[in-house]
Amino acid sequence: MSAFPSAPLVALDTLWLQVAGTLCNLRCTHCFISCSPDNHAHGMMDRAAVARVLQEAEALGVREYYFTGGDPFLNREIFELAADALARGPLSILTNGVLLKPEWCARLRELSDASPYSLDLRVSIDGWDAATSDAIRGEGTFERILWGIGNLARAGLNPVVTVTEACAGAGSVAGRTRLLSFLTSIGLARPRLKVMPLLRLGVEAQRSRAYGPAETLRGVSLTAAEADVLQCSSSRTVTSRGVFVCPILLDAPAARMADTLSGSLRPFELRYPSCHTCHVEGLTCRT
Amino acid sequence: MPDLTPARPREEDHGTLRRVALLGGIYSNYLALDAALAVARAREVDAVYALGDFGAFGPHPDRTVERLRDGGVACIQGNYEESLAAGAGDCHCGYTDPRDNHFAQISYDYTRENTSAEHKAWMGTLPGHVRLRVGGSRLLLCHGSPRRINEFLWRTTTPDAFIRRTLAEFATDVVVCTHTGLHWMRFPEPGRGVLNVGALGRPANDGRTHVWCAIVEDHGGVLRAEHVPVPYDHERLAREMTAEGLPAEFVETVRTGWWTTCLEILPAKERAAGRF
Ligand code: SF4
Ligand code: SF4
Ligand SMILES: [Fe+2]
């Protein structure tokens, strides 16, 4: 039986914080960590918990922060958390956008202006029309997401829009062109777009398909350059339950590496099918 | 178990200097290079360093390389030199968006076709790092970042904590770099920080047509760093680029001072500061 390769932690550059745990106001059918209003697998992180992590991250020289969930805007302290992160480095907040009312976008703009570092808002849609996107994200969500995107743009925060390949053809040249012109049509003068492959985990495994037995890295040996591009060689993810190897494997018990960041700075054995996606499709959750 | 530690580039130690001029990406802008060398002479520097990316974007890449080699400029390899010397098919600029890569490929193909084999071989002999001492500070000159030739060190995504870690990891006080095309510096502690010297190759996306270099000097035993604006005959460069069939988008940048291409890689704040 041949072994799985390991990814060394080359440098802790990127820190993901699951500030809303697995709690989400939506219940998307492609969510690889099955977030929903009632998934309490990972809980909300409060300001003190986040501050402890940020302090340790700063001492370790982390370069950038990402807030995710679930939806980070369900966290009542989200603006304080964002200010705490932006005092230390650039921050990206991943959101479904449906809660982004104008007053909140204005507050985000103030936080951005007050920091020497960049603040990015990243909003996910799943197609260029309500029919495609709502089928995945829920009835009426497309319009609501576009409202949030528009509010960000009006506050002068040009969001990064992500689309997964659940939107058929999104990654092709034609698909990208169509998405970019759609984003221009809704008022994003300089559309920023990231197309992401699907991870056949969580509820997505039922929507499309689960991973097949051949989709693993068993017996594969990675070069330094190949290991270097995997996000687990340069990041860790912190949730209410501890430090995990990456933002993808939150349901895998062995992916929980330690209680603290400094305890998690060791190689990780890539024995999950999603590791195959990362390696073969070059997936990174970073912008 | 394969060795997965990243390799470090070849490094040279050039000892202690009093005042040096530092040139970022030239991108074939040999007219701005001439202007910067005049600035360096006027400032009576001990040495001039070019931090890589001699080609790209502009016309007649060999004119830049000839001036560097004949003018006694100490050169460091950038991602362009690494790629050209290795015969690579693209510039390894580190862009991720297809819109950026589209224009990067046009630049690279033109530069590769118009750079002599002898110059390409010379590029392969250049060091990746040079160490200096100026004003009591240890300087590490590199292209992108000390650890990666094509890492972008932008002002708004390079926090103090990361600067401190990098300085400790590479046993230096100041990292001197380019690659982003935008100049900035931040010193979390006196004499310790990052100096991105910007680029001679294209203006700094601020609506002004001049370009930038940097000068560091020993100021009474303390390091002093400054960015220096470099005006040059940008209309002539624009005409030559048009004559060479380079994209109208590039020419517009030279004429207006606003970036029109390779914009997706910019962090949010740097992007918001430009026109496009
Ligand atoms: S995909 Fe995003 S918005 Fe949808 S349920 Fe998961 S976390 Fe929530
Ligand atoms: S899923 Fe991807 S990021 Fe996570 S451990 Fe596997 S290879 Fe690394
Ligand atoms: Fe470069």
Side-chain angles (χ1 to χ4, degrees):
Chain A
M1 192 185 94
S2 51
F4 295 98
S6 282
L9 197 274
V10 177
L12 185 60
D13 288 341
T14 306
L15 183 69
W16 290 83
L17 289 130
Q18 201 80 16
V19 296
T22 38
L23 291 156
C24 196
N25 42 355
L26 303 188
R27 204 186 277 276
C28 305
T29 58
H30 67 348
C31 188
F32 60 83
I33 46 174
S34 313
C35 296
S36 74
D38 42 40
N39 184 348
H40 294 271
H42 299 264
M44 291 285 167
M45 295 181 72
D46 65 22
R47 191 176 185 183
V50 169
R52 272 195 303 277
V53 179
L54 291 175
Q55 212 161 33
E56 197 189 4
E58 186 175 30
L60 292 168
V62 164
R63 187 170 181 192
E64 56 178 4
Y65 301 96
Y66 281 81
F67 285 177
T68 183
D71 196 275
F73 290 95
L74 291 177
N75 189 315
R76 280 196 207 88
E77 295 177 298
I78 183 62
F79 297 103
E80 288 77 15
L81 304 187
D84 291 348
L86 280 168
R88 294 180 165 83
L91 171 67
S92 295
I93 307 179
L94 278 54
T95 173
N96 57 41
V98 306
L99 296 173
L100 292 176
K101 54 187 175 187
E103 306 87 274
W104 284 13
C105 294
R107 277 186 82 175
L108 290 168
R109 175 62 197 264
E110 284 164 23
L111 289 174
S112 172
D113 288 349
S115 171
Y117 306 120
S118 271
L119 169 66
D120 263 322
L121 275 294
R122 214 168 91 183
V123 184
S124 39
I125 59 172
D126 273 294
W128 31 68
D129 54 34
T132 348
S133 193
D134 283 5
I136 291 165
R137 308 184 78 96
E139 193 61 38
T141 55
F142 190 68
E143 282 307 314
R144 187 78 187 171
I145 293 167
L146 296 191
W147 171 80
I149 289 176
N151 290 337
L152 284 170
R154 279 182 288 276
L157 296 168
N158 185 17
V160 176
V161 176
T162 56
V163 181
T164 68
E165 283 170 351
C167 168
S172 68
V173 174
R176 294 182 59 92
T177 306
R178 185 167 174 191
L179 283 164
L180 287 170
S181 61
F182 169 69
L183 294 176
T184 310
S185 78
I186 61 166
L188 296 179
R190 311 168 180 187
R192 302 166 75 199
L193 174 67
K194 177 177 166 79
V195 179
M196 302 187 71
L198 288 163
L199 288 155
R200 303 187 191 281
L201 299 174
V203 290
E204 169 65 15
Q206 285 112 59
R207 189 192 70 92
S208 57
R209 63 169 180 84
Y211 282 109
E215 291 174 293
T216 77
L217 293 182
R218 183 186 293 286
V220 172
S221 68
L222 298 179
T223 65
E226 287 168 341
D228 212 41
V229 296
L230 295 174
Q231 55 185 342
C232 44
S233 72
S234 61
S235 76
R236 289 292 181 257
T237 299
V238 179
T239 85
S240 64
R241 287 173 38 205
V243 183
F244 288 71
V245 63
C246 69
I248 297 166
L249 290 170
L250 298 185
D251 291 337
R256 186 187 181 285
M257 297 189 76
D259 293 327
T260 62
L261 285 173
S262 44
S264 75
L265 309 179
R266 61 175 192 277
F268 184 79
E269 188 182 56
L270 305 173
R271 59 191 179 87
Y272 296 91
S274 49
C275 303
H276 185 262
T277 304
C278 290
H279 175 56
V280 173
E281 307 212 31
L283 166 68
T284 167
C285 303
R286 292 180 67 234
T287 299
Chain B
M1 180 81 195
D3 181 13
L4 294 179
T5 16
R8 288 210 179 170
R10 190 168 75 74
E11 185 170 298
E12 290 179 2
D13 192 328
H14 291 189
T16 302
L17 295 171
R18 185 186 50 95
R19 182 183 298 141
V20 299
L22 301 155
L23 315 181
I26 302 170
Y27 315 151
S28 298
N29 190 344
Y30 70 97
L31 298 170
L33 173 58
D34 285 344
L37 292 174
V39 168
R41 272 193 302 276
R43 295 288 299 267
E44 299 180 342
V45 299
D46 296 337
V48 181
Y49 286 88
L51 305 185
D53 285 357
F54 311 139
F57 195 74
H60 311 300
D62 276 350
R63 294 186 189 175
T64 290
V65 180
E66 280 152 20
R67 280 163 168 78
L68 292 171
R69 296 182 69 178
D70 298 344
V73 176
C75 292
I76 286 178
Q77 210 173 55
N79 52 287
Y80 249 76
E81 290 68 51
E82 189 179 67
S83 292
L84 289 170
D90 66 71
C91 65
H92 297 138
C93 292
Y95 297 132
T96 50
D97 191 284
R99 290 171 284 174
D100 290 355
N101 282 322
H102 169 73
F103 284 103
Q105 194 64 46
I106 293 173
S107 286
Y108 185 75
D109 290 345
Y110 171 82
T111 307
R112 188 174 49 168
E113 281 158 25
N114 291 281
T115 301
S116 77
E118 207 270 314
H119 287 332
K120 286 177 184 162
W122 168 77
M123 290 171 184
T125 67
L126 300 174
H129 286 175
V130 167
R131 290 186 186 261
L132 302 176
R133 280 175 176 273
V134 180
S137 287
R138 298 166 297 170
L139 273 53
L140 174 56
L141 279 49
C142 61
H143 180 72
S145 74
R147 66 179 177 181
R148 212 169 289 143
I149 197 167
N150 65 353
E151 182 169 30
F152 293 94
L153 297 186
W154 306 101
R155 180 199 296 273
T156 75
T157 56
T158 308
D160 290 356
F162 177 74
I163 292 175
R164 289 197 183 92
R165 181 182 89 191
T166 302
L167 298 182
E169 192 179 330
F170 286 87
T172 187
D173 298 315
V174 183
V175 165
V176 181
C177 61
T178 175
H179 186 59
T180 59
L182 293 180
H183 59 286
W184 62 278
M185 63 173 119
R186 191 163 354 95
F187 290 79
E189 287 128 39
R192 284 176 65 80
V194 168
L195 168 63
N196 189 319
V197 304
L200 287 178
R202 63 172 178 170
N205 197 23
D206 57 2
R208 295 181 294 177
T209 53
H210 64 254
V211 293
W212 295 84
C213 69
I215 290 187
V216 295
E217 63 188 344
D218 182 335
H219 185 70
V222 178
L223 177 77
R224 183 159 76 182
E226 69 181 296
H227 291 118
V228 182
V230 181
Y232 70 101
D233 190 349
H234 64 275
E235 273 302 330
R236 178 172 162 195
L237 186 79
R239 284 194 304 273
E240 292 186 9
M241 288 169 72
T242 304
E244 281 299 286
L246 289 161
E249 289 86 347
F250 294 0
V251 177
E252 182 184 343
T253 296
V254 168
R255 286 216 164 97
T256 63
W258 296 111
W259 291 9
T260 55
T261 59
C262 300
L263 290 158
E264 300 307 318
I265 195 71
L266 289 172
K269 284 193 174 177
E270 281 83 348
R271 181 75 186 265
R275 178 179 286 174
F276 299 105

